[in-house]
Amino acid sequence: MPAGPPPGPGAFPGSPPGYGPPPGPQSYDPHGIGAAASRLSGGARRAAKVSLAVLGAVLASDDVVTMVVHGGFRGHAGVVALVGDRVVLVNERQWKPDVAILPVDPKLVVQGWQDERSATLTFIVEGAHDVIERIPDRALAIEIAQRVRHQAGG
């Protein structure tokens, strides 16, 4: 005598009816860093893993990343992110990563350069400047510069 009908699609033998397989690993991404990083090229995404983790650690609980670009910041691999009304630059320097948080307002000036292989962005506020260089995703560098300029009102 059979024990009952076979399990439905996606169900495991012996699981209660109406329940699918157990859930897989869950990803917790309250800042949307994963979605922003998904736009990076494969090599940039791999190279930015540590910098993205540093970025996640320095953000406030309600911060959401609009977009992110990977490059070199203060001599180490790093990222620049547009987070609400701020630009956040971090790197993966061992023991004490560098973090720069710049308000996006009319005082912020963004300059950019590119060649056939990479781009460089310079963020200038009242004479002080922060540079992210060797950006492999040139189109994303152009886009973040345009977004920051637009948001700053210039």
Side-chain angles (χ1 to χ4, degrees):
M1 173 170 181
F12 288 105
S15 65
Y19 293 93
Q26 299 295 312
S27 178
Y28 181 64
D29 185 16
H31 304 297
I33 295 172
S38 70
R39 297 188 60 205
L40 297 173
S41 64
R45 196 174 319 119
R46 281 188 299 278
K49 284 181 97 168
V50 173
S51 300
L52 292 169
V54 171
L55 175 65
V58 302
L59 295 178
S61 61
D62 60 340
D63 285 339
V64 176
V65 175
T66 304
M67 76 175 296
V68 68
V69 174
H70 170 265
F73 175 53
R74 296 184 182 168
H76 299 275
V79 294
V80 57
L82 181 57
V83 182
D85 61 350
R86 293 167 300 151
V87 171
V88 181
L89 297 103
V90 301
N91 69 12
E92 57 185 61
R93 184 174 61 148
Q94 192 173 21
W95 313 128
K96 181 78 171 121
D98 294 305
V99 177
I101 300 174
L102 311 172
V104 177
D105 59 23
K107 294 178 186 173
L108 178 63
V109 176
V110 182
Q111 296 177 339
W113 297 268
Q114 68 173 335
D115 61 20
E116 64 279 354
R117 287 180 287 169
S118 65
T120 297
L121 293 174
T122 302
F123 298 88
I124 305 167
V125 179
E126 297 178 346
H129 65 279
D130 286 295
V131 178
I132 185 154
E133 56 193 359
R134 299 182 319 274
I135 301 168
D137 297 318
R138 295 176 303 152
L140 291 179
I142 293 167
E143 182 181 340
I144 198 168
Q146 290 173 339
R147 285 181 181 229
V148 171
R149 288 180 189 129
H150 176 76
Q151 198 169 324

